[in-house]
């Protein structure tokens, strides 16, 4: 996704191919799958072995990648906002009024919603998920619980709730869509 945004920025033709003028708001949901298995290393007389250390340290890149992705998205959002300001200024110099220039250049806003096990309120439930292995094969029960949890954490996210209220307000103020018409972006 970040690469697609980079391509849009780097290649003016891609803006036209995607018809970016129809885009108004981009929402990115970043799911951090970092686990933090409980260890008893502090209660053993010998240090953990190499394999145990490697397995424990594997969550660091995942956590770092999720954080960096959100930060990169913020950078892209700022560059797109700056690009819009520049385009509006160029149109003003060419003789357009402020309102004409602003309406001619689409305003695209971004939101990032970060979902992670850290948001689980119940300590026992958080402990269960933090101790799941990062693996391509999990028991069916664990997969079912992960799916249910993902939806719940998203719905409980304050930013998601705000977006849903904004969307409901927007839908309440727009005219109903009739067959054959296009919904508003």
């Amino acid at each position: 996704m970040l690469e697609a945004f980079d391509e849009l920025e780097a290649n003016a033709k891609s803006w036209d191919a995607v018809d970016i003028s129809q885009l108004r708001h981009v929402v990115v949901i970043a799911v951090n799958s970092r686990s933090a298995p409980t260890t008893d290393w502090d209660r053993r007389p010998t240090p953990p072995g190499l394999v145990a250390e490697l397995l424990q340290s594997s969550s660091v890149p995942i956590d770092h990648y999720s954080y960096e992705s959100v930060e990169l998205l913020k950078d892209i959002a700022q560059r797109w906002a700056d690009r819009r300001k520049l385009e509006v200024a160029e149109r003003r110099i060419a003789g357009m009024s402020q309102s004409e220039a602003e309406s001619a250049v689409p305003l695209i806003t971004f939101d990032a919603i970060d979902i992670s096990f850290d948001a689980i309120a119940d300590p026992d439930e958080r402990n269960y998920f933090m101790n799941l292995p990062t693996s391509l094969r999990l028991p069916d029960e664990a997969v079912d619980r992960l799916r249910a949890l993902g939806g719940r954490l998203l719905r409980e996210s304050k930013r998601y709730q705000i977006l849903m209220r904004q969307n409901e307000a927007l839908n309440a103020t727009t005219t109903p869509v009739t067959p054959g018409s296009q919904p508003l972006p």
Side-chain angles (χ1 to χ4, degrees):
M1 174 202 62
L2 293 172
E3 289 175 11
F5 288 148
D6 283 340
E7 175 64 26
L8 283 172
E9 285 183 285
N11 185 347
K13 290 180 182 179
S14 63
W15 281 76
D16 296 333
V18 174
D19 195 13
I20 209 80
S21 66
Q22 298 299 312
L23 187 61
R24 294 292 176 261
H25 193 82
V26 175
V27 179
V28 176
I29 301 171
V31 179
N32 185 340
S33 62
R34 176 188 68 88
S35 64
T38 306
T39 64
D40 62 351
W41 296 347
D42 59 336
R43 293 184 291 272
R44 290 184 181 182
T46 58
L50 181 61
V51 173
E53 286 182 38
L54 287 172
L55 289 173
Q56 184 67 18
S57 67
S58 68
S59 67
V60 173
I62 292 170
D63 202 26
H64 182 70
Y65 183 76
S66 295
Y67 171 79
E68 266 199 18
S69 296
V70 171
E71 291 303 307
L72 284 170
L73 180 65
K74 288 177 186 177
D75 290 346
I76 290 169
Q78 185 59 54
R79 286 194 308 267
W80 285 25
D82 292 344
R83 178 184 175 149
R84 181 177 189 269
K85 285 180 189 176
L86 179 62
E87 288 183 29
V88 167
E90 288 171 346
R91 289 169 192 263
R92 292 278 294 134
I93 290 170
M96 286 185 168
S97 70
Q98 185 71 27
S99 62
E100 289 173 327
E102 287 179 353
S103 65
V105 182
L107 173 63
I108 304 169
T109 55
F110 288 76
D111 265 301
I113 300 172
D114 187 35
I115 303 297
S116 72
F117 295 150
D118 294 326
I120 302 171
D122 180 272
D124 292 333
E125 184 182 29
R126 185 175 49 251
N127 186 49
Y128 169 82
F129 286 106
M130 285 292 207
N131 279 287
L132 281 178
T134 304
S135 168
L136 295 176
R137 182 138 174 87
L138 293 171
D140 290 344
E141 177 195 351
V143 172
D144 292 343
R145 286 184 70 179
L146 279 166
R147 286 181 177 157
L149 176 70
R152 191 183 88 215
L153 289 177
L154 179 61
R155 288 186 300 277
E156 290 174 355
S157 162
K158 296 225 183 296
R159 187 64 208 139
Y160 178 79
Q161 292 172 8
I162 291 167
L163 283 169
M164 291 299 98
R165 284 193 298 273
Q166 290 172 339
N167 191 46
E168 288 170 9
L170 177 66
N171 287 336
T173 60
T174 59
T175 56
V177 176
T178 56
S181 69
Q182 292 293 326
L184 294 174

